[in-house]
Amino acid sequence: MKPASFVRPFRGLLAAFAVAAFAAGTAHAESIVVASTTSTEQSGLFGHILPEFKKAAGIDVRVVAQGTGQALETGRRGDADVLFVHDKASEEKFVAEGFGVKRYPVMYNDFVLIGPKADPAGAAGKDIIEGLKKVAAAKAPFVSRGDKSGTHSAELRYWKAAGIEDKGEAYKECGCGMGPALNIAASSGAYVLSDRGTWLNFKNRADLVILVEGDERMFNQYGVMLVNPEKHPHVKKEAGQKFIDWLVSDEGQAAIAAYKIGGEQLFFPNAEK
């Protein structure tokens, strides 16, 4: 039997080696920062695909979840390596101004108009413009993201197409992400525009339901871009491009397609081959 005085130091030495080995492994792990929409995180997509990417490439991804407008500003400042957002016009402008290298389409889903099951405004149907006209005419409460996100930009386009500038006192901007906006709508019985992915992953629905869907104008495309290292030399060009290449590869596209909630697919891959 070994004396206790020998066993204790030996165990301590093993523990020290284990900690040192772990620290050495994590210290050398590559990592990138991805500024992305709240919808990709709050839908649960990143929790599904990022472990697959780490397994394939050995690169850690730190996600900064913001509205698309904020994510683009983060990229302009050089505070992210990659942007994963959903406002095509703003993305193309970002690249044209030299802040992004190239925009790659990755996947799509759609927007949906959410509201109380009783639908006091009578907005239900397949026409988002008519639906919003009815919400405005009924002076029904409406929660807007108000955060320059891709969803907020789409909402403003729909109001403009409906010819409605003054949306009334019942229209409230929360300046918040998709999840918090849905929570506010659920607690106040309001209407709100959401991406379908976040809605499917949202649990606190109260009596909210989808009222308008299927309008082709509610198509919601996502794109990914590397922040231009010529603007910001510290950008991790190689690791960031590996993430982009994986997203648009057959493996990455399959991982996106495989993410489902209750058997329903949330995002549909459509990278250009």
Side-chain angles (χ1 to χ4, degrees):
M1 181 174 180
K2 295 179 181 177
S5 59
F6 172 78
V7 173
R8 289 195 189 98
F10 181 70
R11 286 175 178 168
L13 191 61
L14 283 177
F17 275 126
V19 170
F22 175 78
T26 55
H28 294 293
E30 267 191 298
S31 66
I32 58 172
V33 174
V34 175
S36 188
T37 71
T38 62
S39 59
T40 45
E41 181 171 65
Q42 292 173 0
S43 65
L45 177 69
F46 279 139
H48 172 74
I49 67 170
L50 292 186
E52 296 297 317
F53 173 65
K54 174 68 181 292
K55 191 187 306 180
I59 298 171
D60 288 315
V61 177
R62 184 170 73 85
V63 176
V64 179
Q66 307 170 298
T68 289
Q70 292 173 305
L72 291 168
E73 286 305 312
T74 296
R76 285 189 174 92
R77 294 193 305 269
D79 291 336
D81 303 299
V82 174
L83 304 185
F84 194 169
V85 289
H86 66 142
D87 186 355
K88 185 177 180 180
S90 296
E91 295 163 41
E92 290 175 340
K93 181 181 178 185
F94 184 84
V95 172
E97 291 173 344
F99 290 103
V101 176
K102 179 182 176 180
R103 176 187 177 275
Y104 298 79
V106 177
M107 63 188 188
Y108 70 92
N109 64 4
D110 61 342
F111 294 113
V112 288
L113 182 66
I114 306 296
K117 186 176 182 179
D119 190 18
K126 294 186 177 296
D127 189 320
I128 184 59
I129 307 305
E130 290 303 314
L132 290 180
K133 285 180 179 178
K134 290 176 180 178
V135 169
K139 298 181 180 179
F142 187 98
V143 177
S144 171
R145 291 271 299 267
D147 64 348
K148 297 182 180 179
S149 62
T151 304
H152 182 219
S153 295
E155 177 217 315
L156 294 180
R157 288 196 302 271
Y158 301 149
W159 284 116
K160 183 176 181 180
I164 298 170
E165 294 183 11
D166 182 4
K167 294 177 276 294
E169 295 182 2
Y171 179 90
K172 305 293 184 185
E173 292 186 341
C174 68
C176 62
M178 197 67 255
L182 284 166
N183 272 317
I184 294 169
S187 64
S188 60
Y191 293 82
V192 61
L193 185 75
S194 174
D195 69 281
R196 188 183 294 271
T198 305
W199 168 251
L200 288 174
N201 201 37
F202 182 65
K203 309 302 182 196
N204 184 34
R205 295 184 178 183
D207 72 338
L208 295 182
V209 297
I210 294 177
L211 294 172
V212 178
E213 61 181 331
D215 188 328
E216 63 181 15
R217 290 167 292 195
M218 299 173 86
F219 177 81
N220 181 27
Q221 176 70 49
Y222 289 79
V224 66
M225 303 172 288
L226 180 72
V227 175
N228 195 343
E230 292 184 5
K231 289 274 189 183
H232 301 288
H234 61 274
V235 165
K236 296 177 180 176
K237 177 181 177 181
E238 290 78 14
Q241 190 63 47
K242 282 181 182 178
F243 179 57
I244 291 170
D245 291 344
W246 182 83
L247 283 173
V248 301
S249 71
D250 290 343
E251 184 182 358
Q253 295 278 281
I256 291 168
Y259 181 52
K260 298 179 181 180
I261 292 179
E264 187 167 352
Q265 187 173 335
L266 275 70
F267 298 94
F268 297 84
N270 67 342
E272 294 175 354
K273 301 299 182 184

